Amino acid sequence: MNLKKDELARLQAYLRKTFGASTLEVRPQPKKDDMAEVFINNEFVAALYREVDEGETSYQLQMAILDMDLEGV
């Protein structure tokens, strides 16, 4: 089942509030029904997956941080 527009909007509002990032966007991933992509300032930062198990829905945010991303921090 595809992530719906209202579901994406609720997830975006939650993540914006949680991370204090007003430019955060949750965009549908056109090739995968249960996945969206998270962008901040138009830069991809994470994948967001929906999981349904025994009728319960949860979401997982997966963010990769490379060694080179940490240089100069």
Side-chain angles (χ1 to χ4, degrees), residues 7-64:
E7 185 177 18
L8 293 171
R10 287 190 350 253
L11 288 163
Q12 179 173 286
Y14 173 80
L15 292 172
R16 281 181 175 180
K17 180 180 174 187
T18 300
F19 294 119
S22 62
T23 61
L24 184 146
E25 291 181 67
V26 177
R27 301 178 190 168
Q29 211 298 335
K31 295 180 182 175
K32 297 193 177 187
D33 291 348
D34 62 347
M35 178 188 170
E37 296 175 326
V38 179
F39 292 80
I40 298 177
N41 295 325
N42 280 320
E43 183 177 338
F44 174 81
V45 294
L48 181 64
Y49 296 93
R50 178 182 55 207
E51 294 192 8
V52 179
D53 185 28
E54 296 182 11
E56 299 245 347
T57 302
S58 64
Y59 302 90
Q60 290 190 5
L61 186 68
Q62 183 177 2
M63 180 177 179

